[in-house]
Amino acid sequence: MKLLLHACCGPCSLEPTRILRAAGHDLTLYYANSNIAPAEEYAHRLGTLRTWAGGEGLPVVEGPYDPAAWETTAGRVGEAALAAADGDVLRVATHPALREARCRACYRLRFEEAARVASERRFDAVGTTLSVSPYQFTEVIREELERAAAAAGVRALFEDYRPFYDEATRRSRATGMYRQNFCGCRFSEAEAAAERAERKRARAAEREAEAAAHADERAAQEAARAAKRAERAAYAEKQARKRAALRALREQERGER
Ligand code: SF4
C-alpha cells in the first residue's frame, strides 16, 4: 500500500517504518509538526529525520511549518488548561486530564494536514509514528487519525507501536541519533523541565531524610572512633614514660660505674 506516514521525529520513526516496510508498504514520511517550538528545535528534528531517512532510502516531505496556526488551536487549549491549574506547570505535567484536550487539538492539526496531502497526492492511506510513544494519548491518536482520514476521503492506517518503544530507544541511542527530552510544544518543554526539577528535589529530600535517619548511628560510630584514638594516645604516652624511665636508670648505672 502507498502510505503517507506522518513522522514526528527520527527516533519515533525507526520502529514503525521497519514494521510497515516489512509488511510491504511503500512509505513516504511526512513531517508536519507546527507544534514544535522553537524553530531551531523544529529544524534540528527535521535534519535528524532527513539524515537517517536518506540512509534508508525513505523519501521525506516537509509540510507547512505554521506555529501561529498551532497557537490559535492547541495553544489556546493549552493556555486554558494552565489557567485552570492556576499556572502550576507541574500540576499540568502530572495530570494527563489537564493535557489531553491540548494534545487532541495538536494531533488534529497535524493529522488534518497529513490526510489532506495524502488525499491530494493519491496515497492509499495515512498513518503516524506518534503512537510509538507511551507518553502520548494512544486512543486519542487513533480517533483523530481516523477522523482526519475520513474527512479527507483516505484510509487511516493506525497501529499501536508502543510495544516497540524500548527497541526504538535502544536503536536511536546506539546510532547516536538526536533524542529530544520534550514532546515538542512550548508547554511540553516547560512541563518536562518542571518534572526534572521535581525529581531532583525529591531525590535531595530523600538523601536528607536518609542522612537524618542515620545521624545517631553516625554520632555513635564517631564517638567510638574518638574513644579508640584516646585509648591509643594514652597507651603511647605510657610507653614513652616507660622508655624515659629506663633511659634514666641506665644513665644512672653508667654514672655509678
Ligand atoms: S505535548 Fe506534544 S502532543 Fe501534546 S500538545 Fe504538546 S507537542 Fe502536541
PDB file of all heavy atoms in Angstrom, residues 34-37 45 70 74-75 78 99-107 110 130 135-137 141 182-189 191, ligand 1:
ATOM      1  N   SER A  34       3.814  21.598  13.218  1.00  0.00           N
ATOM      2  CA  SER A  34       3.799  23.017  13.600  1.00  0.00           C
ATOM      3  C   SER A  34       3.777  23.208  15.105  1.00  0.00           C
ATOM      4  O   SER A  34       3.897  24.344  15.593  1.00  0.00           O
ATOM      5  CB  SER A  34       2.576  23.703  12.986  1.00  0.00           C
ATOM      6  OG  SER A  34       2.684  23.714  11.581  1.00  0.00           O
ATOM      7  N   ASN A  35       3.629  22.101  15.832  1.00  0.00           N
ATOM      8  CA  ASN A  35       3.650  22.156  17.302  1.00  0.00           C
ATOM      9  C   ASN A  35       5.043  22.438  17.853  1.00  0.00           C
ATOM     10  O   ASN A  35       5.194  22.944  18.967  1.00  0.00           O
ATOM     11  CB  ASN A  35       3.174  20.811  17.867  1.00  0.00           C
ATOM     12  CG  ASN A  35       3.987  19.637  17.340  1.00  0.00           C
ATOM     13  OD1 ASN A  35       4.249  19.552  16.145  1.00  0.00           O
ATOM     14  ND2 ASN A  35       4.402  18.747  18.208  1.00  0.00           N
ATOM     15  N   ILE A  36       6.081  22.087  17.072  1.00  0.00           N
ATOM     16  CA  ILE A  36       7.440  22.126  17.641  1.00  0.00           C
ATOM     17  C   ILE A  36       7.967  23.551  17.751  1.00  0.00           C
ATOM     18  O   ILE A  36       7.947  24.324  16.793  1.00  0.00           O
ATOM     19  CB  ILE A  36       8.402  21.245  16.812  1.00  0.00           C
ATOM     20  CG1 ILE A  36       7.893  19.802  16.776  1.00  0.00           C
ATOM     21  CG2 ILE A  36       9.811  21.293  17.406  1.00  0.00           C
ATOM     22  CD1 ILE A  36       8.671  18.877  15.871  1.00  0.00           C
ATOM     23  N   ALA A  37       8.423  23.871  18.926  1.00  0.00           N
ATOM     24  CA  ALA A  37       8.994  25.199  19.183  1.00  0.00           C
ATOM     25  C   ALA A  37      10.225  25.028  20.068  1.00  0.00           C
ATOM     26  O   ALA A  37      10.278  24.112  20.893  1.00  0.00           O
ATOM     27  CB  ALA A  37       7.955  26.076  19.879  1.00  0.00           C
ATOM     28  N   ARG A  45      15.113  18.544  14.527  1.00  0.00           N
ATOM     29  CA  ARG A  45      14.426  17.254  14.416  1.00  0.00           C
ATOM     30  C   ARG A  45      14.253  16.860  12.943  1.00  0.00           C
ATOM     31  O   ARG A  45      14.403  15.691  12.588  1.00  0.00           O
ATOM     32  CB  ARG A  45      13.058  17.314  15.115  1.00  0.00           C
ATOM     33  CG  ARG A  45      13.187  17.473  16.611  1.00  0.00           C
ATOM     34  CD  ARG A  45      11.851  17.346  17.313  1.00  0.00           C
ATOM     35  NE  ARG A  45      11.934  17.874  18.673  1.00  0.00           N
ATOM     36  CZ  ARG A  45      10.986  17.791  19.573  1.00  0.00           C
ATOM     37  NH1 ARG A  45       9.846  17.197  19.278  1.00  0.00           N
ATOM     38  NH2 ARG A  45      11.139  18.300  20.773  1.00  0.00           N
ATOM     39  N   TRP A  70      -0.864  26.658  15.073  1.00  0.00           N
ATOM     40  CA  TRP A  70      -0.855  25.788  16.263  1.00  0.00           C
ATOM     41  C   TRP A  70      -1.289  26.587  17.509  1.00  0.00           C
ATOM     42  O   TRP A  70      -2.061  26.109  18.328  1.00  0.00           O
ATOM     43  CB  TRP A  70       0.546  25.199  16.469  1.00  0.00           C
ATOM     44  CG  TRP A  70       0.554  24.148  17.553  1.00  0.00           C
ATOM     45  CD1 TRP A  70       0.315  22.819  17.396  1.00  0.00           C
ATOM     46  CD2 TRP A  70       0.747  24.367  18.956  1.00  0.00           C
ATOM     47  NE1 TRP A  70       0.351  22.186  18.621  1.00  0.00           N
ATOM     48  CE2 TRP A  70       0.621  23.114  19.593  1.00  0.00           C
ATOM     49  CE3 TRP A  70       1.012  25.490  19.737  1.00  0.00           C
ATOM     50  CZ2 TRP A  70       0.755  22.962  20.973  1.00  0.00           C
ATOM     51  CZ3 TRP A  70       1.145  25.329  21.115  1.00  0.00           C
ATOM     52  CH2 TRP A  70       1.017  24.078  21.721  1.00  0.00           C
ATOM     53  N   ALA A  74      -4.317  24.411  19.363  1.00  0.00           N
ATOM     54  CA  ALA A  74      -3.812  23.710  20.553  1.00  0.00           C
ATOM     55  C   ALA A  74      -3.254  24.674  21.598  1.00  0.00           C
ATOM     56  O   ALA A  74      -3.411  24.459  22.805  1.00  0.00           O
ATOM     57  CB  ALA A  74      -2.738  22.712  20.126  1.00  0.00           C
ATOM     58  N   GLY A  75      -2.594  25.724  21.143  1.00  0.00           N
ATOM     59  CA  GLY A  75      -2.008  26.681  22.079  1.00  0.00           C
ATOM     60  C   GLY A  75      -3.063  27.296  22.991  1.00  0.00           C
ATOM     61  O   GLY A  75      -2.866  27.416  24.201  1.00  0.00           O
ATOM     62  N   GLY A  78      -4.193  24.814  25.492  1.00  0.00           N
ATOM     63  CA  GLY A  78      -3.132  24.648  26.492  1.00  0.00           C
ATOM     64  C   GLY A  78      -3.137  25.783  27.510  1.00  0.00           C
ATOM     65  O   GLY A  78      -2.958  25.556  28.711  1.00  0.00           O
ATOM     66  N   ARG A  99      -3.936  17.735  30.138  1.00  0.00           N
ATOM     67  CA  ARG A  99      -3.202  17.858  28.863  1.00  0.00           C
ATOM     68  C   ARG A  99      -3.944  17.281  27.668  1.00  0.00           C
ATOM     69  O   ARG A  99      -3.663  17.623  26.530  1.00  0.00           O
ATOM     70  CB  ARG A  99      -1.844  17.139  28.963  1.00  0.00           C
ATOM     71  CG  ARG A  99      -0.870  17.728  29.935  1.00  0.00           C
ATOM     72  CD  ARG A  99       0.522  17.152  29.686  1.00  0.00           C
ATOM     73  NE  ARG A  99       0.533  15.715  29.517  1.00  0.00           N
ATOM     74  CZ  ARG A  99       0.567  14.837  30.508  1.00  0.00           C
ATOM     75  NH1 ARG A  99       0.593  15.265  31.756  1.00  0.00           N
ATOM     76  NH2 ARG A  99       0.577  13.539  30.278  1.00  0.00           N
ATOM     77  N   GLU A 100      -4.874  16.383  27.941  1.00  0.00           N
ATOM     78  CA  GLU A 100      -5.462  15.610  26.834  1.00  0.00           C
ATOM     79  C   GLU A 100      -6.107  16.485  25.754  1.00  0.00           C
ATOM     80  O   GLU A 100      -5.892  16.258  24.557  1.00  0.00           O
ATOM     81  CB  GLU A 100      -6.485  14.610  27.372  1.00  0.00           C
ATOM     82  CG  GLU A 100      -6.983  13.688  26.275  1.00  0.00           C
ATOM     83  CD  GLU A 100      -7.944  12.622  26.765  1.00  0.00           C
ATOM     84  OE1 GLU A 100      -7.736  12.078  27.873  1.00  0.00           O
ATOM     85  OE2 GLU A 100      -8.904  12.339  26.022  1.00  0.00           O
ATOM     86  N   ALA A 101      -6.883  17.490  26.162  1.00  0.00           N
ATOM     87  CA  ALA A 101      -7.575  18.326  25.157  1.00  0.00           C
ATOM     88  C   ALA A 101      -6.561  19.082  24.293  1.00  0.00           C
ATOM     89  O   ALA A 101      -6.751  19.248  23.083  1.00  0.00           O
ATOM     90  CB  ALA A 101      -8.514  19.299  25.860  1.00  0.00           C
ATOM     91  N   ARG A 102      -5.480  19.525  24.909  1.00  0.00           N
ATOM     92  CA  ARG A 102      -4.437  20.228  24.154  1.00  0.00           C
ATOM     93  C   ARG A 102      -3.787  19.285  23.137  1.00  0.00           C
ATOM     94  O   ARG A 102      -3.606  19.637  21.964  1.00  0.00           O
ATOM     95  CB  ARG A 102      -3.374  20.747  25.136  1.00  0.00           C
ATOM     96  CG  ARG A 102      -2.257  21.526  24.468  1.00  0.00           C
ATOM     97  CD  ARG A 102      -1.164  21.847  25.474  1.00  0.00           C
ATOM     98  NE  ARG A 102      -0.234  20.745  25.668  1.00  0.00           N
ATOM     99  CZ  ARG A 102       0.457  20.520  26.785  1.00  0.00           C
ATOM    100  NH1 ARG A 102       0.323  21.316  27.819  1.00  0.00           N
ATOM    101  NH2 ARG A 102       1.297  19.510  26.871  1.00  0.00           N
ATOM    102  N   CYS A 103      -3.454  18.079  23.583  1.00  0.00           N
ATOM    103  CA  CYS A 103      -2.805  17.130  22.680  1.00  0.00           C
ATOM    104  C   CYS A 103      -3.763  16.698  21.571  1.00  0.00           C
ATOM    105  O   CYS A 103      -3.349  16.528  20.423  1.00  0.00           O
ATOM    106  CB  CYS A 103      -2.271  15.928  23.462  1.00  0.00           C
ATOM    107  SG  CYS A 103      -0.950  16.393  24.605  1.00  0.00           S
ATOM    108  N   ARG A 104      -5.050  16.565  21.898  1.00  0.00           N
ATOM    109  CA  ARG A 104      -6.027  16.215  20.867  1.00  0.00           C
ATOM    110  C   ARG A 104      -6.043  17.284  19.771  1.00  0.00           C
ATOM    111  O   ARG A 104      -6.001  16.979  18.576  1.00  0.00           O
ATOM    112  CB  ARG A 104      -7.426  16.060  21.481  1.00  0.00           C
ATOM    113  CG  ARG A 104      -8.475  15.669  20.443  1.00  0.00           C
ATOM    114  CD  ARG A 104      -9.856  15.627  21.066  1.00  0.00           C
ATOM    115  NE  ARG A 104     -10.071  14.483  21.926  1.00  0.00           N
ATOM    116  CZ  ARG A 104     -10.384  13.246  21.509  1.00  0.00           C
ATOM    117  NH1 ARG A 104     -10.496  13.007  20.213  1.00  0.00           N
ATOM    118  NH2 ARG A 104     -10.583  12.274  22.370  1.00  0.00           N
ATOM    119  N   ALA A 105      -6.077  18.550  20.194  1.00  0.00           N
ATOM    120  CA  ALA A 105      -6.089  19.646  19.212  1.00  0.00           C
ATOM    121  C   ALA A 105      -4.807  19.649  18.387  1.00  0.00           C
ATOM    122  O   ALA A 105      -4.809  19.948  17.191  1.00  0.00           O
ATOM    123  CB  ALA A 105      -6.260  20.978  19.938  1.00  0.00           C
ATOM    124  N   CYS A 106      -3.713  19.287  19.033  1.00  0.00           N
ATOM    125  CA  CYS A 106      -2.401  19.226  18.365  1.00  0.00           C
ATOM    126  C   CYS A 106      -2.377  18.098  17.331  1.00  0.00           C
ATOM    127  O   CYS A 106      -1.957  18.290  16.190  1.00  0.00           O
ATOM    128  CB  CYS A 106      -1.334  19.026  19.434  1.00  0.00           C
ATOM    129  SG  CYS A 106       0.346  18.932  18.814  1.00  0.00           S
ATOM    130  N   TYR A 107      -2.864  16.912  17.706  1.00  0.00           N
ATOM    131  CA  TYR A 107      -2.917  15.793  16.755  1.00  0.00           C
ATOM    132  C   TYR A 107      -3.817  16.191  15.576  1.00  0.00           C
ATOM    133  O   TYR A 107      -3.514  15.907  14.428  1.00  0.00           O
ATOM    134  CB  TYR A 107      -3.519  14.532  17.387  1.00  0.00           C
ATOM    135  CG  TYR A 107      -2.828  14.009  18.626  1.00  0.00           C
ATOM    136  CD1 TYR A 107      -3.563  13.356  19.627  1.00  0.00           C
ATOM    137  CD2 TYR A 107      -1.452  14.132  18.816  1.00  0.00           C
ATOM    138  CE1 TYR A 107      -2.962  12.843  20.758  1.00  0.00           C
ATOM    139  CE2 TYR A 107      -0.843  13.630  19.961  1.00  0.00           C
ATOM    140  CZ  TYR A 107      -1.602  12.993  20.929  1.00  0.00           C
ATOM    141  OH  TYR A 107      -1.014  12.487  22.065  1.00  0.00           O
ATOM    142  N   ARG A 110      -2.196  18.390  12.937  1.00  0.00           N
ATOM    143  CA  ARG A 110      -1.169  17.695  12.152  1.00  0.00           C
ATOM    144  C   ARG A 110      -1.762  16.601  11.262  1.00  0.00           C
ATOM    145  O   ARG A 110      -1.368  16.430  10.110  1.00  0.00           O
ATOM    146  CB  ARG A 110      -0.112  17.121  13.094  1.00  0.00           C
ATOM    147  CG  ARG A 110       0.677  18.240  13.785  1.00  0.00           C
ATOM    148  CD  ARG A 110       1.843  17.692  14.569  1.00  0.00           C
ATOM    149  NE  ARG A 110       1.468  17.242  15.893  1.00  0.00           N
ATOM    150  CZ  ARG A 110       2.274  16.520  16.673  1.00  0.00           C
ATOM    151  NH1 ARG A 110       3.447  16.154  16.227  1.00  0.00           N
ATOM    152  NH2 ARG A 110       1.890  16.169  17.887  1.00  0.00           N
ATOM    153  N   LEU A 130       3.431   8.682  15.778  1.00  0.00           N
ATOM    154  CA  LEU A 130       3.225   9.196  17.144  1.00  0.00           C
ATOM    155  C   LEU A 130       2.866   8.099  18.154  1.00  0.00           C
ATOM    156  O   LEU A 130       3.192   8.213  19.334  1.00  0.00           O
ATOM    157  CB  LEU A 130       2.107  10.240  17.144  1.00  0.00           C
ATOM    158  CG  LEU A 130       2.479  11.689  16.846  1.00  0.00           C
ATOM    159  CD1 LEU A 130       1.235  12.543  16.797  1.00  0.00           C
ATOM    160  CD2 LEU A 130       3.432  12.229  17.902  1.00  0.00           C
ATOM    161  N   TYR A 135       4.163   8.082  26.073  1.00  0.00           N
ATOM    162  CA  TYR A 135       3.829   9.362  26.717  1.00  0.00           C
ATOM    163  C   TYR A 135       2.684  10.083  25.992  1.00  0.00           C
ATOM    164  O   TYR A 135       2.245  11.133  26.418  1.00  0.00           O
ATOM    165  CB  TYR A 135       5.057  10.273  26.765  1.00  0.00           C
ATOM    166  CG  TYR A 135       6.214   9.613  27.470  1.00  0.00           C
ATOM    167  CD1 TYR A 135       7.319   9.149  26.771  1.00  0.00           C
ATOM    168  CD2 TYR A 135       6.170   9.414  28.850  1.00  0.00           C
ATOM    169  CE1 TYR A 135       8.357   8.510  27.417  1.00  0.00           C
ATOM    170  CE2 TYR A 135       7.207   8.780  29.513  1.00  0.00           C
ATOM    171  CZ  TYR A 135       8.303   8.330  28.787  1.00  0.00           C
ATOM    172  OH  TYR A 135       9.330   7.696  29.436  1.00  0.00           O
ATOM    173  N   GLN A 136       2.242   9.506  24.872  1.00  0.00           N
ATOM    174  CA  GLN A 136       1.145  10.119  24.120  1.00  0.00           C
ATOM    175  C   GLN A 136      -0.186   9.480  24.513  1.00  0.00           C
ATOM    176  O   GLN A 136      -0.221   8.462  25.197  1.00  0.00           O
ATOM    177  CB  GLN A 136       1.380   9.930  22.617  1.00  0.00           C
ATOM    178  CG  GLN A 136       2.676  10.544  22.099  1.00  0.00           C
ATOM    179  CD  GLN A 136       2.636  12.071  22.050  1.00  0.00           C
ATOM    180  OE1 GLN A 136       1.576  12.678  22.140  1.00  0.00           O
ATOM    181  NE2 GLN A 136       3.793  12.682  21.925  1.00  0.00           N
ATOM    182  N   PHE A 137      -1.265  10.079  24.030  1.00  0.00           N
ATOM    183  CA  PHE A 137      -2.605   9.546  24.282  1.00  0.00           C
ATOM    184  C   PHE A 137      -2.968   8.653  23.079  1.00  0.00           C
ATOM    185  O   PHE A 137      -3.500   9.129  22.073  1.00  0.00           O
ATOM    186  CB  PHE A 137      -3.611  10.693  24.429  1.00  0.00           C
ATOM    187  CG  PHE A 137      -3.349  11.573  25.610  1.00  0.00           C
ATOM    188  CD1 PHE A 137      -2.603  12.741  25.478  1.00  0.00           C
ATOM    189  CD2 PHE A 137      -3.831  11.242  26.876  1.00  0.00           C
ATOM    190  CE1 PHE A 137      -2.344  13.553  26.572  1.00  0.00           C
ATOM    191  CE2 PHE A 137      -3.572  12.053  27.983  1.00  0.00           C
ATOM    192  CZ  PHE A 137      -2.832  13.210  27.824  1.00  0.00           C
ATOM    193  N   ILE A 141      -4.962   9.499  19.577  1.00  0.00           N
ATOM    194  CA  ILE A 141      -4.258   9.488  18.284  1.00  0.00           C
ATOM    195  C   ILE A 141      -5.088   8.700  17.272  1.00  0.00           C
ATOM    196  O   ILE A 141      -5.329   9.147  16.146  1.00  0.00           O
ATOM    197  CB  ILE A 141      -2.849   8.868  18.433  1.00  0.00           C
ATOM    198  CG1 ILE A 141      -1.948   9.798  19.242  1.00  0.00           C
ATOM    199  CG2 ILE A 141      -2.225   8.575  17.060  1.00  0.00           C
ATOM    200  CD1 ILE A 141      -0.596   9.203  19.605  1.00  0.00           C
ATOM    201  N   PHE A 182      11.726  16.583  25.287  1.00  0.00           N
ATOM    202  CA  PHE A 182      10.341  17.040  25.476  1.00  0.00           C
ATOM    203  C   PHE A 182       9.575  16.750  24.196  1.00  0.00           C
ATOM    204  O   PHE A 182      10.170  16.576  23.132  1.00  0.00           O
ATOM    205  CB  PHE A 182      10.274  18.524  25.860  1.00  0.00           C
ATOM    206  CG  PHE A 182      10.764  19.478  24.801  1.00  0.00           C
ATOM    207  CD1 PHE A 182       9.867  20.209  24.028  1.00  0.00           C
ATOM    208  CD2 PHE A 182      12.124  19.664  24.578  1.00  0.00           C
ATOM    209  CE1 PHE A 182      10.300  21.105  23.063  1.00  0.00           C
ATOM    210  CE2 PHE A 182      12.572  20.550  23.595  1.00  0.00           C
ATOM    211  CZ  PHE A 182      11.673  21.271  22.844  1.00  0.00           C
ATOM    212  N   CYS A 183       8.237  16.704  24.333  1.00  0.00           N
ATOM    213  CA  CYS A 183       7.414  16.269  23.201  1.00  0.00           C
ATOM    214  C   CYS A 183       7.571  17.192  22.003  1.00  0.00           C
ATOM    215  O   CYS A 183       7.814  16.728  20.893  1.00  0.00           O
ATOM    216  CB  CYS A 183       5.960  16.178  23.647  1.00  0.00           C
ATOM    217  SG  CYS A 183       4.870  15.557  22.356  1.00  0.00           S
ATOM    218  N   GLY A 184       7.409  18.503  22.226  1.00  0.00           N
ATOM    219  CA  GLY A 184       7.565  19.398  21.072  1.00  0.00           C
ATOM    220  C   GLY A 184       7.107  20.827  21.315  1.00  0.00           C
ATOM    221  O   GLY A 184       7.787  21.771  20.940  1.00  0.00           O
ATOM    222  N   CYS A 185       5.934  20.994  21.939  1.00  0.00           N
ATOM    223  CA  CYS A 185       5.402  22.362  22.092  1.00  0.00           C
ATOM    224  C   CYS A 185       6.033  23.073  23.291  1.00  0.00           C
ATOM    225  O   CYS A 185       6.692  22.447  24.119  1.00  0.00           O
ATOM    226  CB  CYS A 185       3.884  22.306  22.244  1.00  0.00           C
ATOM    227  SG  CYS A 185       3.341  21.529  23.771  1.00  0.00           S
ATOM    228  N   ARG A 186       5.785  24.364  23.381  1.00  0.00           N
ATOM    229  CA  ARG A 186       6.368  25.155  24.471  1.00  0.00           C
ATOM    230  C   ARG A 186       5.847  24.668  25.838  1.00  0.00           C
ATOM    231  O   ARG A 186       6.563  24.690  26.830  1.00  0.00           O
ATOM    232  CB  ARG A 186       6.071  26.643  24.276  1.00  0.00           C
ATOM    233  CG  ARG A 186       4.594  26.995  24.226  1.00  0.00           C
ATOM    234  CD  ARG A 186       4.372  28.447  23.832  1.00  0.00           C
ATOM    235  NE  ARG A 186       2.975  28.734  23.585  1.00  0.00           N
ATOM    236  CZ  ARG A 186       2.108  29.125  24.504  1.00  0.00           C
ATOM    237  NH1 ARG A 186       2.513  29.264  25.759  1.00  0.00           N
ATOM    238  NH2 ARG A 186       0.853  29.370  24.187  1.00  0.00           N
ATOM    239  N   PHE A 187       4.604  24.200  25.880  1.00  0.00           N
ATOM    240  CA  PHE A 187       4.073  23.693  27.148  1.00  0.00           C
ATOM    241  C   PHE A 187       4.854  22.440  27.566  1.00  0.00           C
ATOM    242  O   PHE A 187       5.232  22.298  28.722  1.00  0.00           O
ATOM    243  CB  PHE A 187       2.590  23.312  27.002  1.00  0.00           C
ATOM    244  CG  PHE A 187       1.688  24.471  26.697  1.00  0.00           C
ATOM    245  CD1 PHE A 187       1.226  24.686  25.413  1.00  0.00           C
ATOM    246  CD2 PHE A 187       1.293  25.351  27.687  1.00  0.00           C
ATOM    247  CE1 PHE A 187       0.386  25.747  25.114  1.00  0.00           C
ATOM    248  CE2 PHE A 187       0.452  26.419  27.405  1.00  0.00           C
ATOM    249  CZ  PHE A 187      -0.003  26.622  26.110  1.00  0.00           C
ATOM    250  N   SER A 188       5.059  21.555  26.605  1.00  0.00           N
ATOM    251  CA  SER A 188       5.729  20.291  26.955  1.00  0.00           C
ATOM    252  C   SER A 188       7.164  20.533  27.386  1.00  0.00           C
ATOM    253  O   SER A 188       7.695  19.808  28.237  1.00  0.00           O
ATOM    254  CB  SER A 188       5.673  19.306  25.782  1.00  0.00           C
ATOM    255  OG  SER A 188       6.380  19.793  24.666  1.00  0.00           O
ATOM    256  N   GLU A 189       7.808  21.542  26.837  1.00  0.00           N
ATOM    257  CA  GLU A 189       9.189  21.836  27.251  1.00  0.00           C
ATOM    258  C   GLU A 189       9.197  22.293  28.713  1.00  0.00           C
ATOM    259  O   GLU A 189      10.015  21.844  29.517  1.00  0.00           O
ATOM    260  CB  GLU A 189       9.797  22.916  26.346  1.00  0.00           C
ATOM    261  CG  GLU A 189      11.265  23.132  26.669  1.00  0.00           C
ATOM    262  CD  GLU A 189      11.956  24.094  25.714  1.00  0.00           C
ATOM    263  OE1 GLU A 189      11.247  24.869  25.029  1.00  0.00           O
ATOM    264  OE2 GLU A 189      13.193  24.082  25.663  1.00  0.00           O
ATOM    265  N   GLU A 191       6.878  21.680  30.940  1.00  0.00           N
ATOM    266  CA  GLU A 191       6.446  20.573  31.797  1.00  0.00           C
ATOM    267  C   GLU A 191       7.580  19.575  32.040  1.00  0.00           C
ATOM    268  O   GLU A 191       7.770  19.110  33.167  1.00  0.00           O
ATOM    269  CB  GLU A 191       5.247  19.856  31.142  1.00  0.00           C
ATOM    270  CG  GLU A 191       3.973  20.669  31.219  1.00  0.00           C
ATOM    271  CD  GLU A 191       2.941  20.301  30.156  1.00  0.00           C
ATOM    272  OE1 GLU A 191       3.126  19.294  29.460  1.00  0.00           O
ATOM    273  OE2 GLU A 191       1.962  21.045  30.027  1.00  0.00           O
TER     274      GLU A 191
HETATM  275  S1  SF4 B   1       2.653  17.665  24.472  1.00  0.00           S
HETATM  276 FE1  SF4 B   1       3.122  17.004  22.374  1.00  0.00          FE
HETATM  277  S2  SF4 B   1       1.208  16.239  21.538  1.00  0.00           S
HETATM  278 FE2  SF4 B   1       0.711  17.426  23.357  1.00  0.00          FE
HETATM  279  S3  SF4 B   1       0.312  19.472  22.596  1.00  0.00           S
HETATM  280 FE3  SF4 B   1       2.452  19.455  23.133  1.00  0.00          FE
HETATM  281  S4  SF4 B   1       3.526  18.866  21.273  1.00  0.00           S
HETATM  282 FE4  SF4 B   1       1.355  18.383  20.966  1.00  0.00          FE
END
